[in-house]
Amino acid sequence: MRSVAKPKLAVWKFASCDGCQLSLLDCEDELLQIVGAIDIANFVEASRNVMKGPYDVSLVEGSITTPHDAERIHKVRRQSKLLITIGACATAGGIQALRNYTDVKQYASYVYSNPEFLETLNKSTPIADHVFVDFELRGCPISKAQLVETVSAFLNGRKPVTPPYSVCMECKRRGTVCVMVAHGTPCMGPVTQAGCGAICPSYHRGCYGCFGPKETPNTGALADQWKAMGITNDGIVRSFRGFNAYADAFRKESEAHEE
Amino acid sequence: MKTDKVQSSSEGSFTSNGAPRVFTVEHLNTLIRNLRDQGYAVIGPVVQDAAIVYDEISSSEDLPIGWIDTQSNASYRLTKRAAKTLFNFTVGPQSWKKYLHKPSVRILEAEKNGNEFAVNDAQPPAKKQAFLGVRACELHAIAIQDRVLLGGPYVDPIYAELRTNTLIVAVNCEKAGGTCFCASMGTGPRAEHGYDLALTEIRESDHHYFLIETGSALGATVLAGLPAEVASESDIQAANRVIATATHQMGRKVDMSEMKEILYRNTENPRWQDIASRCMSCANCTLVCPTCFCTTIEDTTDLRGTRAERWRKWDSCFTMEFSYIHGGSIRTSPGTRYRQWLTHKFGSWGDQFGSAGCVGCGRCITWCPVGIDVTEELKAIRDSELVEAGSIKSKE
């Protein structure tokens, strides 16, 4: 018998690829510590053993795309003291938010022989559009380090360190040569939030914007520079409509370049 | 064992020691080898990811032989030429602060013992390092960071340890980069002080050699181990011509007269809003700047809460958290952040540290992803006063 109950953690899935939940399973070294520090009460990807709520912390992956999920998220919120959304789907609507710019019914008719059995919403929306969210972890997928940081910050009663500044900060600290200036490669880094460790530029690729808009993003200035580099409006629209297509700043910039 | 003390340029103790000397290009390798034999990690320019960056080298073969850079606003390109030049380029994206004021340092770790913490803030001892190819602007930048981090009552012990163990071999610039403006800042292109040895690469009528000047007793000791001859008057003239070329090539300048007063008078100038429409507050300018020294502190804990670490990382006045005080950030708009940065560099830095905070290296112009040019912005603010004065006059 333990004298002090361990905090109960639940992991929930909505419309998503499971990649962010896998980041939690990927914490091999840290997972044993996590298991020691908290009760994993509801995490069907890891264990069939489900403990009843309420839960101290809920990690929510995925976006809201069906009427059923729009209901279910309220049940999750009611059972959770602290609700943390993880990943681009949960924080911005995800790649599936590309549907927000098209006619979903038309798409469904291409894919399904009997689309009338399909119950789906016109838009893929982030969790925060539906319920109060205590903390958001960005990324597609989330960074393992930021996840461990957030859980340990919660367990130790402190604020997690997940800075909202640009990816450029991480590039420069690790000494990566700027791909935009030195190679002429369009890069989303100057308007994208740090957290991944600036992986893509270190492999000579432009940032894809997986972590969504940084604080005070000036997407217009970036788009102007890309135009000067010869990128077409179509190219600009595609770049801002990635994994965070429905994040406010990226959505507005993509709409400004639609022809 | 106690390491050799390198005299800091901030002590003002560098004086030219004896007559300049010359050695052939092959003996640069002897210099590198000798330094390595004496226990120095030799750090110099190398080509990496289509740019010239600083990294450890083991011979002159590692240098950017034949490489030439072309720089302008938001653009940097390298091209290779047949001529086997060793230093015919200007500064790249990195500066020596990478090795003196490091981007990320663990400043302490703490282990929980019952109700107490055992704190360990010891730093690993610094290894001896020799910088090869430090340009005049960079010598000034190091001198500025010396004043900021070593001057006054609060000395940064981490910087001090690294700085004390650093030997500097400067190289005079033989060309000006497309974004350079050191001549107008009085910080180059000639290396005048702050070095142990200073080289000038001379290529004239099939002769490829270096002129060497000595700036410290340590430099003299290092030079003594090299087969260097006393330079002739024509060698000195040749070196002067090399540096004069760089001066004449320089296309940008900043007029520093009354700059502080002008900036202080123009805190509400509409130009700041104009800059804000172009500035992404991405922080690149501050991180490539060889004098920017700001850092943030990040604390981490492990999941059990028994172990904590405190890290110091490069920060920037372009982030929101930088100006976060009780109640929120005081510089929420990018325009106010840019104004803060520029006014500090060219205005209030003087009151604080006795010089401008800019050395005219041009990195912030080249490496700004949208190519904002400090020389152009300062001129626009200065000229806006002339326009105002002119319009007042014409009304009279």
Side-chain angles (χ1 to χ4, degrees), chain B residues 104-118:
Chain B
S104 189
V105 180
R106 188 176 68 194
I107 54 175
L108 65 81
E109 50 189 331
E111 200 80 41
K112 197 174 182 182
N113 289 325
N115 286 329
E116 287 186 355
F117 271 104

Side-chain angles (χ1 to χ4, degrees), chain A residues 192-256:
Chain A
T192 300
Q193 181 166 309
C196 63
I199 300 166
C200 292
S202 77
Y203 289 95
H204 307 162
R205 302 296 295 263
C207 164
Y208 289 90
C210 303
F211 276 62
K214 76 169 191 74
E215 61 187 11
T216 63
N218 189 346
T219 53
L222 186 68
D224 285 347
Q225 184 67 16
W226 284 13
K227 274 190 185 170
M229 290 163 67
I231 310 297
T232 60
N233 270 329
D234 187 48
I236 294 171
V237 171
R238 281 168 183 273
S239 294
F240 282 101
R241 285 191 190 158
F243 311 107
N244 288 280
Y246 205 56
D248 214 33
F250 288 2
R251 174 181 64 78
K252 283 178 183 156
E253 197 56 42
S254 75
E255 284 170 354

Side-chain angles (χ1 to χ4, degrees), chain A residues 166 172-173 181 183 204 218, chain B residues 49 77 279 282 284 301 314:
Chain A
S166 70
K172 287 293 181 284
R173 281 178 188 157
V181 170
H183 310 165
H204 307 162
N218 189 346
Chain B
D49 300 332
R77 293 292 182 277
C279 174
C282 62
N284 275 300
T301 50
W314 282 355

Side-chain angles (χ1 to χ4, degrees), chain B residues 33-313:
Chain B
R33 202 175 47 232
N34 286 359
L35 288 169
R36 285 170 63 84
D37 288 347
Q38 289 163 37
Y40 287 96
V42 180
I43 299 157
V46 296
V47 174
Q48 212 174 77
D49 300 332
I52 293 170
V53 300
Y54 298 135
D55 209 343
E56 186 164 354
I57 58 169
S58 54
S59 89
S60 57
E61 290 297 308
D62 296 335
L63 295 169
I65 300 169
W67 287 99
I68 289 183
D69 57 333
T70 311
Q71 303 193 33
S72 64
N73 305 48
S75 174
Y76 180 99
R77 293 292 182 277
L78 280 186
T79 43
K80 186 151 177 143
R81 306 242 174 115
K84 292 197 174 301
T85 53
L86 293 166
F87 295 102
N88 194 12
F89 48 84
T90 54
V91 295
Q94 299 178 351
S95 72
W96 300 100
K97 79 175 176 185
K98 174 181 167 190
Y99 293 101
L100 291 173
H101 187 47
K102 294 184 173 185
S104 189
V105 180
R106 188 176 68 194
I107 54 175
L108 65 81
E109 50 189 331
E111 200 80 41
K112 197 174 182 182
N113 289 325
N115 286 329
E116 287 186 355
F117 271 104
V119 175
N120 174 18
D121 61 357
Q123 290 292 318
K127 292 183 182 127
K128 290 207 290 185
Q129 53 186 1
F131 296 166
L132 174 64
V134 182
R135 305 309 175 109
C137 59
E138 301 184 302
L139 293 173
H140 280 269
I142 293 169
I144 287 173
Q145 290 215 327
D146 284 352
R147 282 196 288 278
V148 173
L149 300 167
L150 303 177
Y154 305 105
V155 170
D156 174 355
I158 301 169
Y159 181 88
E161 171 78 359
L162 291 165
R163 184 70 181 88
T164 305
N165 284 285
T166 302
L167 180 144
I168 292 177
V169 181
V171 166
N172 281 308
C173 285
E174 53 189 293
K175 70 166 201 175
T179 55
C180 291
F181 57 100
C182 66
S184 65
M185 296 302 295
T187 51
R190 182 190 286 276
E192 281 168 344
H193 46 75
Y195 58 79
D196 295 292
L197 289 174
L199 309 178
T200 309
E201 185 178 7
I202 300 168
R203 288 172 295 123
E204 281 190 348
S205 57
D206 295 338
H207 286 301
H208 191 183
Y209 64 103
F210 287 100
L211 181 123
I212 314 110
E213 291 161 276
T214 310
S216 72
L218 180 62
T221 314
V222 172
L223 187 61
L226 290 168
E229 295 163 14
V230 174
S232 69
E233 188 53 36
S234 76
D235 294 329
I236 295 168
Q237 297 285 336
N240 286 341
R241 279 196 298 276
V242 166
I243 302 164
T245 311
T247 310
H248 293 133
Q249 278 180 356
M250 217 162 296
R252 290 174 211 248
K253 63 173 196 293
V254 169
D255 177 358
M256 282 298 285
S257 59
E258 274 192 87
M259 185 48 84
K260 185 181 90 174
E261 291 73 18
I262 291 170
L263 286 166
Y264 281 15
R265 279 200 296 271
N266 283 278
T267 54
E268 301 305 319
N269 194 301
R271 187 75 183 188
W272 301 119
Q273 282 314 305
D274 180 74
I275 298 168
S277 70
R278 289 172 278 137
C279 174
M280 300 187 291
S281 59
C282 62
N284 275 300
C285 49
T286 52
L287 300 174
V288 296
C289 178
T291 71
C292 275
F293 54 84
C294 287
T295 52
T296 185
I297 297 294
E298 286 181 4
D299 288 344
T300 63
T301 50
D302 72 348
L303 288 156
R304 289 202 186 90
T306 53
R307 202 168 173 282
E309 289 184 357
R310 173 162 290 178
W311 286 78
R312 182 174 84 178
K313 294 180 177 179

